[in-house]
Coordinates of all heavy atoms in Angstrom, one line a residue:
M1 N -25.7 -11.1 7.4 CA -26.3 -12.0 6.4 C -25.6 -13.3 6.5 O -24.3 -13.4 6.5 CB -26.0 -11.3 5.0 CG -26.9 -11.9 3.9 SD -26.5 -11.1 2.2 CE -27.6 -9.7 2.5
R2 N -26.4 -14.3 6.4 CA -25.8 -15.6 6.5 C -25.0 -16.0 5.0 O -25.6 -15.5 4.1 CB -26.8 -16.7 6.7 CG -27.4 -16.6 8.2 CD -28.1 -17.8 8.7 NE -28.9 -18.5 7.5 CZ -30.2 -18.4 7.5 NH1 -31.0 -17.7 8.3 NH2 -30.9 -19.0 6.5
E3 N -24.1 -16.9 5.2 CA -23.4 -17.2 3.9 C -24.3 -17.6 2.7 O -24.2 -17.2 1.6 CB -22.2 -18.2 4.2 CG -21.3 -18.2 3.0 CD -20.2 -19.2 3.2 OE1 -19.9 -19.6 4.3 OE2 -19.4 -19.5 2.1
E4 N -25.3 -18.5 3.1 CA -26.1 -18.9 1.9 C -27.1 -17.9 1.3 O -27.7 -18.1 0.3 CB -26.9 -20.2 2.4 CG -27.7 -20.0 3.7 CD -26.9 -20.3 5.0 OE1 -25.7 -20.2 4.9 OE2 -27.7 -20.5 5.9
E5 N -27.2 -16.8 2.1 CA -28.1 -15.7 1.6 C -27.2 -14.7 0.7 O -27.9 -13.8 0.2 CB -28.7 -14.9 2.7 CG -29.6 -15.8 3.5 CD -30.0 -15.0 4.8 OE1 -29.4 -14.0 5.2 OE2 -31.1 -15.5 5.4
L6 N -25.9 -14.9 0.7 CA -25.1 -13.8 -0.1 C -25.6 -13.8 -1.6 O -25.6 -14.9 -2.3 CB -23.6 -14.2 0.0 CG -23.0 -14.0 1.3 CD1 -21.6 -14.6 1.4 CD2 -23.2 -12.6 1.9
P7 N -26.1 -12.7 -2.1 CA -26.6 -12.6 -3.5 C -25.7 -13.0 -4.6 O -26.1 -13.4 -5.7 CB -27.1 -11.2 -3.6 CG -26.4 -10.4 -2.6 CD -26.1 -11.4 -1.4
Y8 N -24.4 -12.8 -4.3 CA -23.3 -13.1 -5.5 C -23.0 -14.6 -5.3 O -22.2 -15.0 -6.2 CB -22.2 -12.2 -5.3 CG -21.6 -12.0 -3.9 CD1 -20.8 -13.2 -3.5 CD2 -21.9 -11.0 -3.0 CE1 -20.3 -13.0 -2.2 CE2 -21.4 -11.0 -1.8 CZ -20.5 -12.1 -1.4 OH -20.1 -12.0 -0.1
K9 N -23.4 -15.2 -4.4 CA -22.9 -16.6 -4.1 C -23.2 -17.5 -5.4 O -24.3 -17.5 -6.0 CB -23.5 -17.3 -3.0 CG -22.9 -18.5 -2.5 CD -22.2 -18.4 -1.1 CE -21.2 -19.4 -0.9 NZ -21.7 -20.7 -0.6
G10 N -22.2 -18.1 -6.0 CA -22.5 -19.1 -7.1 C -22.2 -18.5 -8.3 O -22.2 -19.1 -9.5
I11 N -22.2 -17.1 -8.5 CA -21.8 -16.4 -9.8 C -20.4 -16.6 -10.0 O -19.5 -16.2 -9.2 CB -22.2 -14.9 -9.6 CG1 -23.8 -14.7 -9.4 CG2 -22.0 -14.3 -10.9 CD1 -24.2 -13.4 -9.2
E12 N -20.0 -17.0 -11.2 CA -18.6 -17.3 -11.6 C -17.9 -16.0 -11.9 O -18.5 -15.0 -12.4 CB -18.6 -18.2 -12.7 CG -18.7 -19.6 -12.3 CD -18.4 -20.6 -13.4 OE1 -17.5 -20.3 -14.3 OE2 -19.1 -21.7 -13.3
G13 N -16.7 -15.9 -11.5 CA -15.8 -14.8 -11.9 C -15.9 -13.6 -10.7 O -15.2 -12.6 -10.9
I14 N -16.6 -13.8 -9.8 CA -16.6 -12.7 -8.7 C -15.8 -13.3 -7.6 O -15.9 -14.3 -7.0 CB -18.0 -12.6 -8.2 CG1 -18.8 -11.9 -9.3 CG2 -17.9 -11.5 -6.9 CD1 -20.3 -11.6 -9.0
P15 N -14.6 -12.6 -7.2 CA -13.7 -13.1 -6.2 C -14.3 -12.9 -4.9 O -15.1 -12.0 -4.6 CB -12.4 -12.2 -6.4 CG -12.9 -11.0 -7.2 CD -14.1 -11.4 -7.9
I16 N -14.2 -13.9 -4.1 CA -14.7 -13.9 -2.6 C -13.6 -14.0 -1.6 O -12.7 -14.9 -1.9 CB -15.6 -14.9 -2.4 CG1 -16.9 -14.8 -3.3 CG2 -16.1 -15.0 -0.9 CD1 -17.9 -15.8 -3.3
I17 N -13.5 -13.1 -0.6 CA -12.4 -13.2 0.3 C -12.9 -14.3 1.4 O -13.9 -14.0 2.1 CB -12.1 -11.9 1.0 CG1 -11.6 -10.9 -0.1 CG2 -11.1 -12.0 2.1 CD1 -11.5 -9.5 0.4
K18 N -12.3 -15.4 1.4 CA -12.7 -16.5 2.3 C -12.2 -16.3 3.7 O -12.8 -16.6 4.7 CB -12.3 -17.7 1.8 CG -13.1 -18.3 0.5 CD -12.8 -19.7 0.1 CE -13.7 -19.9 -1.0 NZ -13.4 -21.3 -1.5
E19 N -11.0 -15.5 3.7 CA -10.3 -15.4 5.1 C -10.0 -13.9 5.2 O -9.0 -13.4 4.8 CB -9.0 -16.1 5.0 CG -8.8 -17.5 5.6 CD -7.5 -17.9 5.7 OE1 -6.8 -17.6 6.7 OE2 -7.0 -18.6 4.8
P20 N -11.0 -13.1 5.8 CA -10.6 -11.6 5.9 C -9.4 -11.5 6.7 O -9.1 -12.2 7.7 CB -11.9 -11.2 6.6 CG -12.9 -12.2 6.4 CD -12.3 -13.4 6.2
G21 N -8.6 -10.5 6.2 CA -7.3 -10.2 6.9 C -6.2 -11.1 6.3 O -5.0 -11.0 6.9
S22 N -6.4 -12.0 5.4 CA -5.3 -12.9 5.0 C -4.4 -12.2 4.1 O -3.3 -12.7 3.9 CB -5.9 -14.1 4.3 OG -6.7 -13.7 3.1
A23 N -4.6 -11.0 3.6 CA -3.7 -10.3 2.7 C -2.4 -9.9 3.4 O -1.3 -9.9 2.8 CB -4.3 -8.9 2.3
S24 N -2.4 -9.8 4.7 CA -1.2 -9.5 5.5 C -0.2 -10.7 5.5 O 1.0 -10.6 5.8 CB -1.5 -9.1 7.0 OG -2.2 -10.2 7.6
K25 N -0.8 -11.9 5.1 CA 0.1 -13.1 5.1 C 0.8 -13.2 3.7 O 1.8 -13.9 3.7 CB -0.6 -14.3 5.2 CG -1.4 -14.4 6.6 CD -2.3 -15.7 6.8 CE -3.2 -15.6 8.0 NZ -4.3 -16.6 7.8
V26 N 0.4 -12.3 2.7 CA 1.1 -12.4 1.5 C 2.2 -11.3 1.4 O 2.0 -10.2 1.7 CB 0.1 -12.1 0.3 CG1 0.7 -12.2 -1.0 CG2 -1.1 -13.2 0.4
N27 N 3.3 -11.8 0.9 CA 4.5 -10.8 0.6 C 4.1 -10.1 -0.7 O 4.7 -10.5 -1.7 CB 5.8 -11.5 0.6 CG 6.9 -10.4 0.4 OD1 6.7 -9.3 0.4 ND2 8.1 -11.0 0.3
R28 N 3.4 -9.0 -0.6 CA 3.0 -8.2 -1.9 C 4.2 -7.5 -2.4 O 4.2 -7.1 -3.6 CB 1.9 -7.3 -1.5 CG 0.4 -8.0 -1.6 CD -0.7 -7.2 -0.9 NE -0.3 -7.1 0.6 CZ -0.8 -6.2 1.3 NH1 -1.5 -5.2 0.9 NH2 -0.6 -6.2 2.7
G29 N 5.2 -7.3 -1.6 CA 6.4 -6.7 -2.1 C 7.2 -7.4 -3.2 O 7.8 -6.9 -3.9
S30 N 6.9 -8.7 -3.3 CA 7.5 -9.5 -4.3 C 6.9 -9.2 -5.7 O 7.4 -9.7 -6.7 CB 7.3 -11.0 -4.1 OG 6.0 -11.4 -4.0
W31 N 5.8 -8.5 -5.7 CA 5.1 -8.2 -7.1 C 5.8 -6.9 -7.7 O 5.5 -6.5 -8.7 CB 3.7 -7.8 -6.9 CG 2.8 -8.9 -6.2 CD1 3.3 -10.2 -6.0 CD2 1.6 -8.7 -5.7 NE1 2.2 -10.8 -5.3 CE2 1.2 -9.9 -5.1 CE3 0.6 -7.6 -5.5 CZ2 -0.1 -10.2 -4.6 CZ3 -0.6 -7.9 -4.9 CH2 -1.0 -9.2 -4.5
R32 N 6.7 -6.1 -6.9 CA 7.1 -4.8 -7.2 C 8.1 -4.7 -8.3 O 8.9 -5.6 -8.3 CB 7.7 -4.1 -6.1 CG 7.1 -3.0 -5.5 CD 7.7 -2.3 -4.4 NE 8.9 -2.9 -3.8 CZ 9.0 -3.6 -2.7 NH1 7.9 -3.6 -1.9 NH2 10.1 -4.1 -2.3
L33 N 8.0 -3.8 -9.2 CA 9.2 -3.6 -10.2 C 9.9 -2.4 -9.8 O 11.0 -2.2 -10.2 CB 8.4 -3.4 -11.6 CG 7.6 -4.6 -12.2 CD1 7.0 -4.2 -13.5 CD2 8.5 -5.8 -12.4
V34 N 9.3 -1.4 -9.1 CA 9.8 -0.2 -8.7 C 9.5 -0.1 -7.2 O 8.5 -0.5 -6.8 CB 9.4 1.0 -9.5 CG1 10.1 1.1 -10.8 CG2 7.9 1.1 -9.6
R35 N 10.3 0.6 -6.6 CA 10.0 0.9 -5.0 C 10.1 2.4 -4.8 O 10.8 3.0 -5.4 CB 11.0 0.1 -4.2 CG 12.4 0.7 -4.3 CD 13.3 0.1 -3.2 NE 13.4 -1.3 -3.2 CZ 13.8 -2.2 -2.1 NH1 14.1 -1.5 -1.1 NH2 13.9 -3.4 -2.3
P36 N 9.2 2.8 -3.8 CA 9.4 4.2 -3.4 C 10.5 4.4 -2.4 O 10.8 3.5 -1.6 CB 8.1 4.5 -2.5 CG 7.7 3.1 -2.1 CD 8.2 2.1 -3.0
V37 N 11.3 5.4 -2.6 CA 12.4 5.8 -1.6 C 12.1 7.2 -1.0 O 11.7 8.0 -1.6 CB 13.7 5.9 -2.5 CG1 14.9 6.3 -1.7 CG2 14.0 4.5 -3.2
Y38 N 12.3 7.1 0.3 CA 12.0 8.3 1.1 C 13.1 9.1 1.5 O 14.1 8.6 1.9 CB 11.2 7.7 2.4 CG 10.9 8.8 3.4 CD1 10.1 9.8 3.1 CD2 11.3 8.7 4.7 CE1 9.8 10.8 4.1 CE2 11.1 9.5 5.6 CZ 10.3 10.6 5.4 OH 10.0 11.5 6.3
D39 N 13.0 10.4 1.4 CA 14.1 11.4 1.8 C 13.5 12.2 2.9 O 12.7 13.2 2.6 CB 14.5 12.2 0.6 CG 15.6 13.2 0.9 OD1 15.8 13.4 2.1 OD2 16.2 13.7 0.0
R40 N 13.9 11.9 4.1 CA 13.5 12.7 5.2 C 13.7 14.1 5.3 O 13.0 14.9 5.7 CB 14.0 12.1 6.4 CG 13.4 12.4 7.8 CD 14.0 11.8 9.1 NE 13.9 10.3 9.0 CZ 12.8 9.6 9.3 NH1 11.7 10.2 9.6 NH2 12.7 8.3 9.1
E41 N 14.8 14.6 4.6 CA 15.2 15.9 4.5 C 14.2 16.8 3.8 O 14.0 18.0 4.1 CB 16.5 16.0 3.9 CG 17.7 15.5 4.6 CD 18.0 16.2 5.9 OE1 17.9 17.4 5.9 OE2 18.2 15.5 6.9
K42 N 13.6 16.2 2.8 CA 12.6 16.9 1.9 C 11.1 16.8 2.5 O 10.3 17.5 2.0 CB 12.6 16.4 0.5 CG 13.9 16.7 -0.2 CD 13.8 16.2 -1.6 CE 15.0 16.5 -2.4 NZ 15.1 15.8 -3.7
C43 N 11.0 16.0 3.5 CA 9.5 15.7 3.9 C 9.0 16.8 4.8 O 9.8 17.2 5.7 CB 9.6 14.5 4.6 SG 7.9 13.9 5.2
T44 N 7.8 17.2 4.6 CA 7.2 18.3 5.4 C 6.1 17.7 6.4 O 5.4 18.4 7.1 CB 6.4 19.3 4.5 OG1 5.5 18.7 3.7 CG2 7.4 20.1 3.7
K45 N 6.1 16.3 6.3 CA 5.1 15.6 7.2 C 3.7 16.0 6.9 O 2.9 16.0 7.8 CB 5.5 15.7 8.6 CG 6.8 15.1 9.0 CD 7.1 15.3 10.6 CE 8.5 14.8 10.9 NZ 8.7 15.0 12.3
C46 N 3.4 16.1 5.6 CA 2.0 16.5 5.3 C 0.9 15.4 5.3 O -0.3 15.6 5.3 CB 2.0 17.1 3.8 SG 2.2 15.9 2.5
K47 N 1.5 14.1 5.4 CA 0.7 12.9 5.4 C -0.1 12.5 4.1 O -0.9 11.7 4.2 CB -0.3 13.0 6.6 CG 0.2 12.9 8.0 CD -0.9 12.6 9.0 CE -0.2 12.4 10.5 NZ -1.2 12.2 11.4
I48 N 0.2 13.2 3.1 CA -0.5 12.9 1.8 C -0.2 11.3 1.4 O -1.0 10.6 1.0 CB -0.2 13.9 0.7 CG1 -0.7 15.2 1.1 CG2 -0.6 13.4 -0.6 CD1 -0.5 16.3 0.1
C49 N 1.1 11.1 1.5 CA 1.5 9.7 1.1 C 0.6 8.6 2.0 O 0.2 7.6 1.5 CB 2.9 9.5 1.2 SG 3.6 9.9 2.9
F50 N 0.7 8.9 3.2 CA 0.1 8.0 4.2 C -1.4 7.9 3.9 O -2.1 6.8 4.0 CB 0.3 8.7 5.6 CG -0.5 8.0 6.7 CD1 -0.2 6.8 7.2 CD2 -1.5 8.7 7.3 CE1 -0.9 6.2 8.2 CE2 -2.3 8.1 8.4 CZ -2.0 6.9 8.8
T51 N -2.1 9.0 3.5 CA -3.5 9.0 3.3 C -3.9 8.3 2.0 O -4.8 7.7 1.9 CB -4.0 10.5 3.2 OG1 -3.7 11.1 4.4 CG2 -5.5 10.6 3.1
Y52 N -3.0 8.5 0.9 CA -3.3 8.0 -0.3 C -2.9 6.6 -0.6 O -3.5 6.0 -1.6 CB -2.6 8.9 -1.5 CG -3.4 10.1 -1.8 CD1 -3.8 11.1 -0.8 CD2 -3.8 10.4 -3.1 CE1 -4.5 12.2 -1.1 CE2 -4.5 11.6 -3.4 CZ -4.8 12.5 -2.5 OH -5.5 13.6 -2.7
C53 N -2.0 6.1 0.1 CA -1.5 4.6 -0.1 C -2.7 3.7 -0.1 O -3.3 3.5 0.9 CB -0.5 4.3 0.9 SG 0.1 2.5 0.6
P54 N -3.0 3.1 -1.3 CA -4.1 2.1 -1.3 C -3.8 0.8 -0.6 O -4.8 0.1 -0.3 CB -4.3 1.9 -2.9 CG -3.0 2.1 -3.3 CD -2.3 3.0 -2.6
D55 N -2.6 0.6 -0.1 CA -2.4 -0.7 0.5 C -2.1 -0.6 2.0 O -1.6 -1.6 2.6 CB -1.3 -1.3 -0.1 CG -1.7 -2.1 -1.4 OD1 -2.6 -3.0 -1.3 OD2 -1.3 -1.8 -2.5
A56 N -2.2 0.7 2.5 CA -1.9 0.9 3.8 C -0.4 0.5 4.2 O -0.2 -0.2 5.2 CB -2.9 0.3 4.9
A57 N 0.3 0.7 3.2 CA 1.8 0.2 3.3 C 2.7 1.3 3.9 O 3.8 1.0 4.2 CB 2.3 -0.2 1.9
I58 N 2.0 2.4 4.3 CA 2.8 3.4 4.9 C 2.3 3.7 6.3 O 1.1 3.9 6.5 CB 2.8 4.8 4.2 CG1 3.3 4.6 2.7 CG2 3.3 5.9 4.9 CD1 3.3 5.8 1.8
N59 N 3.2 3.4 7.3 CA 2.8 3.7 8.7 C 3.2 5.1 9.1 O 4.2 5.6 8.5 CB 3.6 2.7 9.6 CG 3.4 1.3 9.2 OD1 2.2 0.9 9.0 ND2 4.3 0.4 9.3
W60 N 2.5 5.7 9.9 CA 2.7 7.1 10.4 C 3.6 7.0 11.8 O 3.0 6.3 12.6 CB 1.5 7.9 10.4 CG 2.0 9.4 10.4 CD1 2.0 10.1 11.7 CD2 2.5 10.1 9.4 NE1 2.6 11.4 11.4 CE2 2.9 11.4 10.1 CE3 2.8 9.9 8.2 CZ2 3.4 12.4 9.3 CZ3 3.4 11.0 7.4 CH2 3.8 12.2 7.9
T61 N 4.7 7.7 11.8 CA 5.4 7.7 13.0 C 5.7 9.1 13.3 O 5.5 10.0 12.5 CB 6.7 6.9 12.9 OG1 7.7 7.9 12.1 CG2 6.5 5.6 12.1
P62 N 6.1 9.4 14.7 CA 6.4 10.9 15.0 C 7.4 11.4 14.1 O 7.5 12.6 13.8 CB 6.8 10.7 16.5 CG 6.2 9.5 17.0 CD 6.1 8.4 15.7
E63 N 8.3 10.5 13.5 CA 9.3 11.1 12.6 C 8.8 11.2 11.2 O 9.6 11.8 10.3 CB 10.5 10.1 12.7 CG 11.4 10.2 13.9 CD 10.7 9.4 15.0 OE1 10.1 8.3 14.7 OE2 10.6 9.9 16.1
G64 N 7.7 10.8 10.9 CA 7.2 10.8 9.4 C 6.7 9.5 8.9 O 6.5 8.5 9.7
P65 N 6.7 9.4 7.6 CA 6.2 8.0 7.0 C 7.3 7.0 7.1 O 8.4 7.2 7.0 CB 5.9 8.5 5.6 CG 6.7 9.7 5.4 CD 6.8 10.4 6.6
E66 N 6.7 5.8 7.2 CA 7.5 4.6 7.2 C 7.0 3.6 6.4 O 5.9 3.2 6.5 CB 7.7 4.1 8.8 CG 8.7 3.0 9.0 CD 8.6 2.6 10.4 OE1 7.8 1.8 10.7 OE2 9.5 3.1 11.2
I67 N 7.8 3.2 5.4 CA 7.2 2.4 4.3 C 7.5 0.9 4.7 O 8.5 0.4 4.9 CB 7.8 2.7 2.9 CG1 7.6 4.0 2.5 CG2 7.3 1.8 1.8 CD1 8.5 4.5 1.3
N68 N 6.3 0.1 4.6 CA 6.4 -1.3 4.9 C 6.6 -1.9 3.5 O 5.6 -2.1 2.8 CB 5.2 -1.8 5.6 CG 5.2 -3.3 5.8 OD1 6.0 -3.9 5.3 ND2 4.3 -3.8 6.6
L69 N 7.7 -2.4 3.2 CA 8.0 -2.9 1.8 C 7.5 -4.3 1.6 O 7.5 -4.8 0.5 CB 9.6 -2.9 1.5 CG 10.1 -1.5 1.3 CD1 11.5 -1.5 1.2 CD2 9.6 -0.9 0.0
K70 N 7.0 -4.9 2.7 CA 6.4 -6.2 2.6 C 4.9 -6.1 2.0 O 4.4 -7.0 1.3 CB 6.4 -6.9 3.9 CG 6.3 -8.5 3.8 CD 6.5 -9.1 5.1 CE 6.0 -10.6 4.8 NZ 5.6 -11.3 5.9
S71 N 4.4 -4.8 2.4 CA 3.0 -4.7 1.9 C 2.9 -3.8 0.6 O 2.0 -3.8 -0.2 CB 2.2 -3.9 2.9 OG 2.2 -4.6 4.1
C72 N 4.0 -3.0 0.4 CA 4.0 -2.0 -0.7 C 4.2 -2.8 -2.1 O 5.1 -3.6 -2.2 CB 5.3 -1.1 -0.6 SG 5.7 -0.1 -2.1
K73 N 3.2 -2.5 -3.0 CA 3.3 -3.3 -4.3 C 3.8 -2.4 -5.4 O 3.8 -2.8 -6.5 CB 1.9 -3.9 -4.6 CG 0.9 -2.9 -4.8 CD -0.5 -3.7 -5.1 CE -1.6 -2.6 -5.2 NZ -2.9 -3.3 -4.9
G74 N 4.2 -1.2 -5.0 CA 5.0 -0.4 -6.0 C 4.1 0.3 -7.0 O 4.4 0.5 -8.1
C75 N 2.9 0.9 -6.5 CA 2.0 1.6 -7.4 C 2.5 2.9 -7.7 O 2.1 3.7 -8.8 CB 0.6 1.6 -6.9 SG 0.6 2.5 -5.3
M76 N 3.4 3.5 -6.9 CA 3.8 4.8 -7.0 C 3.0 5.9 -6.9 O 3.2 7.0 -7.2 CB 4.6 4.9 -8.4 CG 5.9 4.1 -8.5 SD 7.2 4.3 -7.4 CE 7.0 3.0 -6.4
I77 N 1.8 5.7 -6.2 CA 0.9 6.8 -5.9 C 1.5 7.7 -5.0 O 1.4 9.0 -5.1 CB -0.4 6.2 -5.4 CG1 -1.2 5.5 -6.5 CG2 -1.3 7.3 -4.8 CD1 -2.5 4.8 -6.2
C78 N 2.3 7.2 -4.0 CA 3.0 8.1 -3.0 C 3.9 9.0 -3.7 O 4.0 10.2 -3.4 CB 3.5 7.3 -1.9 SG 4.7 6.0 -2.4
V79 N 4.6 8.4 -4.7 CA 5.6 9.3 -5.4 C 4.9 10.4 -6.2 O 5.3 11.6 -6.2 CB 6.5 8.4 -6.3 CG1 7.4 9.2 -7.3 CG2 7.2 7.4 -5.5
E80 N 3.9 10.0 -6.9 CA 3.0 10.9 -7.7 C 2.4 12.0 -6.9 O 2.5 13.2 -7.3 CB 1.9 10.1 -8.4 CG 1.1 10.8 -9.5 CD 2.0 11.0 -10.7 OE1 2.9 10.2 -10.9 OE2 1.8 12.0 -11.4
E81 N 2.0 11.6 -5.7 CA 1.3 12.6 -4.9 C 2.1 13.5 -4.0 O 1.7 14.6 -3.5 CB 0.2 11.9 -4.1 CG -0.9 11.4 -4.9 CD -1.7 12.2 -5.9 OE1 -1.9 13.4 -5.5 OE2 -2.2 11.8 -6.8
C82 N 3.3 13.1 -3.6 CA 4.2 13.8 -2.8 C 4.5 15.2 -3.4 O 5.1 15.5 -4.4 CB 5.5 13.0 -2.4 SG 6.6 14.0 -1.4
P83 N 4.0 16.3 -2.5 CA 4.3 17.6 -3.1 C 5.7 18.1 -3.1 O 6.1 19.3 -3.7 CB 3.3 18.5 -2.3 CG 3.2 17.7 -1.0 CD 3.4 16.3 -1.3
T84 N 6.6 17.4 -2.3 CA 8.0 18.0 -2.2 C 9.0 17.1 -2.8 O 10.2 17.3 -2.5 CB 8.3 18.2 -0.7 OG1 8.4 16.9 -0.1 CG2 7.4 19.1 0.0
D85 N 8.7 16.1 -3.5 CA 9.6 15.1 -4.0 C 10.4 14.4 -3.0 O 11.6 14.0 -3.2 CB 10.5 15.8 -5.0 CG 9.8 16.2 -6.3 OD1 8.8 15.6 -6.6 OD2 10.3 17.1 -6.9
A86 N 9.8 14.2 -1.8 CA 10.4 13.5 -0.8 C 10.4 11.9 -1.0 O 11.2 11.2 -0.5 CB 9.9 13.8 0.6
M87 N 9.3 11.6 -1.8 CA 9.3 10.2 -2.3 C 9.7 10.1 -3.7 O 9.1 10.8 -4.6 CB 7.8 9.8 -2.2 CG 7.2 9.5 -0.9 SD 7.9 8.1 -0.1 CE 6.8 8.1 1.4
T88 N 10.5 9.2 -4.1 CA 11.1 9.0 -5.4 C 11.0 7.7 -5.7 O 10.9 6.7 -4.9 CB 12.5 9.7 -5.6 OG1 13.3 9.1 -4.7 CG2 12.5 11.2 -5.6
E89 N 11.0 7.3 -7.0 CA 11.0 6.0 -7.6 C 12.4 5.4 -7.9 O 13.2 6.1 -8.4 CB 10.2 6.1 -8.9 CG 10.0 4.7 -9.6 CD 9.3 4.9 -10.9 OE1 8.2 5.6 -10.9 OE2 9.6 4.3 -11.9
E90 N 12.6 4.1 -7.5 CA 13.8 3.6 -7.7 C 13.5 2.0 -8.3 O 12.5 1.5 -7.8 CB 14.6 3.3 -6.5 CG 16.0 2.8 -6.8 CD 16.8 2.9 -5.5 OE1 17.2 3.9 -5.0 OE2 16.9 1.8 -4.8
K91 N 14.2 1.6 -9.4 CA 14.0 0.3 -9.9 C 14.4 -0.7 -8.9 O 15.4 -0.7 -8.2 CB 14.7 0.1 -11.2 CG 14.1 0.4 -12.4 CD 14.8 0.0 -13.6 CE 14.2 0.4 -14.8 NZ 14.9 0.3 -16.1
E92 N 13.5 -1.9 -8.9 CA 14.0 -3.0 -7.9 C 15.3 -3.6 -8.5 O 15.6 -3.7 -9.6 CB 12.8 -4.0 -7.9 CG 11.6 -3.7 -7.0 CD 12.1 -3.6 -5.6 OE1 13.2 -4.1 -5.1 OE2 11.3 -3.0 -4.8
G93 N 16.2 -3.9 -7.5 CA 17.3 -4.6 -7.9 C 18.5 -3.7 -8.2 O 19.5 -4.1 -8.8
T94 N 18.3 -2.3 -8.0 CA 19.4 -1.5 -8.3 C 20.0 -1.0 -7.2 O 19.5 -1.0 -6.0 CB 18.9 -0.3 -9.2 OG1 17.9 0.4 -8.5 CG2 18.5 -0.6 -10.5
Ligands
SF4_1 S1 4.2 2.6 -4.0 FE1 1.9 2.4 -3.6 S2 1.8 0.8 -2.2 FE2 3.8 1.4 -2.1 S3 3.9 2.9 -0.3 FE3 3.6 4.0 -2.2 S4 1.5 4.3 -2.4 FE4 1.7 2.6 -1.0
SF4_2 S1 3.6 13.1 0.9 FE1 5.9 13.7 0.8 S2 6.0 15.4 2.1 FE2 4.1 14.5 2.7 S3 4.5 13.1 4.3 FE3 4.6 12.0 2.6 S4 6.9 11.9 2.0 FE4 6.5 13.7 3.5

């Protein structure tokens, strides 16, 4: 669809991504009040945190999850969903 044909064009209040992929340039980690902390000993490598993270801030490695704190905005979904408490919450700055 050409840009001038977009049905939402000109409607106020609807955000438009002008530069797809630009989110990676923003340090979303600076928005965080709390951060997830990972405990490898408790992790069963179930991949739930990796699957549920809405920001794709968890990379999957052969050793398990790896949190990218530049992308993580601290929603704590990974902490909430982890079945073994391998992810826990810590206040920023502590
Ligand atoms: S706190 Fe939220 S954004 Fe950060 S790694 Fe967990 S699920 Fe992803
Ligand atoms: S959800 Fe918890 S147990 Fe599962 S991979 Fe993530 S940290 Fe490990």
Side-chain angles (χ1 to χ4, degrees):
M1 191 179 280
R2 292 195 326 254
E3 197 181 339
E4 54 273 21
E5 293 172 347
L6 297 174
Y8 50 78
K9 194 116 200 293
I11 300 174
E12 283 191 27
I14 296 180
I16 296 172
I17 298 170
K18 291 189 173 169
E19 262 187 88
S22 59
S24 62
K25 295 178 196 161
V26 178
N27 181 4
R28 284 163 284 156
S30 65
W31 304 347
R32 243 185 356 254
L33 299 175
V34 286
R35 66 166 62 200
V37 176
Y38 173 59
D39 181 345
R40 194 174 300 281
E41 296 295 313
K42 291 183 180 171
C43 181
T44 58
K45 298 186 183 176
C46 68
K47 284 194 178 177
I48 289 177
C49 56
F50 169 72
T51 306
Y52 276 57
C53 175
D55 278 303
I58 297 177
N59 301 321
W60 194 257
T61 75
E63 288 76 42
E66 191 180 78
I67 303 166
N68 178 351
L69 288 172
K70 207 174 163 200
S71 300
C72 166
K73 63 185 178 204
C75 67
M76 295 298 111
I77 288 175
C78 56
V79 172
E80 192 66 32
E81 297 298 333
C82 176
T84 64
D85 292 333
M87 290 283 189
T88 51
E89 176 181 319
E90 189 174 282
K91 268 191 184 165
E92 277 298 338
T94 55

